[in-house]
Amino acid sequence: PIEKIEQVSQLPYVSFIEPIDPPSFPENKTGRTLHRSNIINTEYSTGRHYNGEGINVMMQDDGVIGPHIDYTGRVDQSNVSSSSGSHGDHVAGTIMGAGNLDPIAKGMADGAYLYEFSSSNNNYYSVPGIYQNNDVFITSKSYSNGCNAGYTSLARDLDEQINLYPSLIHIFSAGNSGTSNCSYGAGSGWGNVTGGHKQAKNVIATANLSLTGSLASSSSRGPAHDGRIKPDIGAKGTSVYSPVSPYTYATYTGTSMACPGIAGVMAQLYQAYKDLNNGQNPSSALMKCLMLNSADDIGNAGPDFKHGWGEVNAYRAIKILENNQYFSSSVSQSGNNYHNITVPSGTKKIKVMVYWHDKEASVNSSIALVNDINITLTSSTSSTYDPWILDYTPNATNLDQPATRGVDDRNNMEQVTITNPSSGSYTLNINGFAIPYGPQEYWVTYEFLTDDVQLTYPIGGEGLVPGESEYIRWDAHETSGSFTIQYTINGGSSWNTISSSVSGSSRHYNWTVPNNTTDNAMIRVSRNGYTDQSDATFTIINVPQNVSINWLCPDSIYVSWSTVSGATSYEVSMLGQKYMDSMTTTNNLTALIANSNPLITDSWFSVCAKVNNGNGRREEG
């Protein structure tokens, strides 16, 4: 019993006590909702629908992936001939798996197309060709290459490559050596990012977070060899449920699982940018700046050497794109550019980031930064704010200190934030402090945080299952006041309170779905007079069981399943060229499906229960 903990701690042979790990939730779904990937690819018709369609991703891993129907019609494996394990299958599923077999395993960008390569570093020589000929702009690789290896020749090549091909971005795992000593000088637990290539300036290295945003102890920490901020950002990499061959799923943990989450979200954002800009491909410098500046700050205030710039938030990123809160320019040696940013009233925090793809440095450079830009932000009342910097002194205490304001002479991104700013015009000064290779292009993104509350899951169109645990999620600023969470099963005619005392610092709540069959469910979150609720209704109903093929004939297929209490009808789906396509809706417990191609020997079926027009979750195919 918890009340006995103190008594137990006094026993002479007890030297250490820690809580047991919470129950795991082995789903990619919790990754999608943690990343806010779900809110930019909604399941209701009037929402955003950015699933990465039209975006091509290069994945370098352990070879051939599959067989698995979650990749159907969206993989090119012409560059691999064999496989040495299931690592690549799992990573691929997190990037672009469709969830055809099991819907809760759907990846971030279930419309993206994957080009599969082996893990050999020589494959980076293939990047120019597939960039120019196949529009492959995003690469994902979850392999190590040494530990805190410094600015290697591969790091230099990748920085150069990204500068040569302006839409290209390389995304990596940070590594699983979080407790190692890799000779940074601060002992175990610091400076252990696994590979020089991950410490390149223009790439992204990803930390491993749990479904609630806490850092895994195994996740590699920075700094880079020269004190730069690494990792760059965090994503869910703990207990990730994703496809493995043949036709099944597994739960893996590591930064290998976090990296593809970032690659998938990036594919969604690339698609969004193209949709908002007449099909034009984005600058990867803008996209990296966008992702880092919109991240939710976790861990120490400001950037840190554990989480980088924070936890990825696709929703905040896409709002920056939609609101045109970004621009670019260039600066030369000793030049000064001045940009005005108008802060609206009601803003509780402004976040401004300047990012530039830096020129490649010499191999083994002690300081990798080549072109050094310095920034300040001046308010309408003439108060001037420097960007956030970290103390990279090789000492564990220094490395774990919160960021302070100062002049940054290490990183190719700088961020200024101001809490409770006055409204009015602010001046961003861009100074070309040391630009030996110029002029240097840079990108600026900015966002305004307010006191409002924004529900991010469930937001509408989902099919939830009675009795299952679901993490309700929302975005908000500040930590004062408690949140009240409510649900309705009748479209808002009446509301039931889940809790009225959720901590003001929380952004999630573990909810047990009630045993109420409905297609009119919604969630509402409130605090200090601000309220947000689901944009559309979602459905609560059980999943059909015992789906089976009773017989298969050349011209038809007979499917049956067990009854679901409260269902008004059932929708039967069949695997098409890419996805599970709806074939028929029936009030019966059987369906006769016409077999349009008798030569096909493999057919996959799935059934969901419906409540009026609301779909429940499909049964695992």
Side-chain angles (χ1 to χ4, degrees), residues 391-471:
D391 185 346
Y392 49 82
T393 303
N395 174 284
T397 300
N398 296 68
L399 295 175
D400 206 23
Q401 291 299 306
T404 58
R405 296 189 189 274
V407 177
D408 191 331
D409 61 358
R410 286 292 188 273
N411 295 285
N412 57 321
M413 74 287 288
E414 298 190 5
Q415 184 192 61
V416 178
T417 67
I418 305 174
T419 301
N420 295 319
S422 301
S423 59
S425 180
Y426 284 62
T427 302
L428 176 66
N429 175 219
I430 309 290
N431 170 243
F433 176 73
I435 312 293
Y437 298 91
Q440 174 64 60
E441 182 189 51
Y442 59 85
W443 285 87
V444 180
T445 64
Y446 57 96
E447 67 171 337
F448 309 115
L449 304 184
T450 63
D451 269 340
D452 65 338
V453 177
Q454 295 175 318
L455 180 72
T456 61
Y457 180 80
I459 54 173
E462 300 91 352
L464 305 190
V465 178
E468 289 192 352
S469 293
E470 290 282 353
Y471 270 79

Side-chain angles (χ1 to χ4, degrees), residues 318-329:
I318 206 165
K319 286 190 292 184
I320 292 175
L321 286 179
E322 291 172 343
N323 295 332
N324 290 307
Q325 291 171 191
Y326 62 91
F327 56 86
S328 68
S329 188

Side-chain angles (χ1 to χ4, degrees), residues 72-89:
T72 300
R74 294 182 297 114
V75 177
D76 183 319
Q77 303 203 72
S78 60
N79 295 288
V80 288
S81 58
S82 61
S83 176
S84 59
S86 58
H87 187 273
D89 299 65

Side-chain angles (χ1 to χ4, degrees), residues 75-154:
V75 177
D76 183 319
Q77 303 203 72
S78 60
N79 295 288
V80 288
S81 58
S82 61
S83 176
S84 59
S86 58
H87 187 273
D89 299 65
H90 198 277
V91 170
T94 300
I95 296 173
M96 44 68 74
N100 286 328
L101 186 59
D102 188 348
I104 66 174
K106 184 167 71 172
M108 306 303 118
D110 58 297
Y113 194 91
L114 192 73
Y115 285 81
E116 171 66 1
F117 285 76
S118 73
S119 61
S120 170
N121 288 335
N122 290 331
N123 287 318
Y124 285 110
Y125 295 116
S126 300
V127 169
I130 60 173
Y131 178 96
Q132 294 169 318
N133 301 323
N134 304 99
D135 291 335
V136 174
F137 302 142
I138 301 168
T139 81
S140 176
K141 187 173 182 178
S142 296
Y143 273 69
S144 63
N145 183 19
C147 193
N148 202 9
Y151 195 77
T152 63
S153 60
L154 181 56

Side-chain angles (χ1 to χ4, degrees), residues 50 143 234 291 612:
Y50 297 123
Y143 273 69
M291 180 173 278
N612 303 316

